[in-house]
Amino acid sequence: MELANETTAGQGDLRVVVAATVRENSPYARCFTCLGVQLMVTEKVVREAAQILIVRDAFVLKRRVCYTCERTEDVMIPAEQS
């Protein structure tokens, strides 16, 4: 599926940005909505990038309280912290 590897014009490789942001936020995890706000992109775009990162076993989903909005949501954390 080559479309998942293409970058969006003007955004660079969003997967790299999402991965770096999640690691920088650590140990404080943000839900996908708040991560999208932090990166100034839609939640959908963040979820698409996250899906690839999770499949590659670099990150995992955990049910936690979001550091920003304080809702209990699925958040993405680095696999080595799970």
Side-chain angles (χ1 to χ4, degrees):
M1 180 178 247
E2 285 301 311
L3 292 177
N5 291 324
E6 290 183 15
T7 58
T8 303
Q11 292 183 343
D13 191 348
L14 192 60
R15 288 174 309 212
V16 174
V17 174
V18 170
T21 303
V22 169
R23 289 185 195 285
E24 288 170 11
N25 289 343
S26 184
Y28 307 105
R30 288 182 167 86
C31 67
F32 291 111
T33 302
C34 291
L35 195 55
V37 170
Q38 182 182 9
L39 296 173
M40 294 187 291
V41 297
T42 65
E43 177 183 354
K44 180 181 184 256
V45 170
V46 173
R47 285 186 180 275
E48 288 170 356
Q51 211 170 18
I52 295 166
L53 294 168
I54 292 166
V55 167
R56 292 184 176 167
D57 294 328
F59 293 86
V60 295
L61 283 182
K62 291 284 183 177
R63 192 104 174 132
R64 292 202 180 156
V65 175
C66 172
Y67 178 72
T68 305
C69 69
E70 299 181 353
R71 292 180 298 198
T72 301
E73 300 278 344
D74 287 333
V75 297
M76 187 172 71
I77 61 170
E80 61 268 10
Q81 293 180 5
S82 60

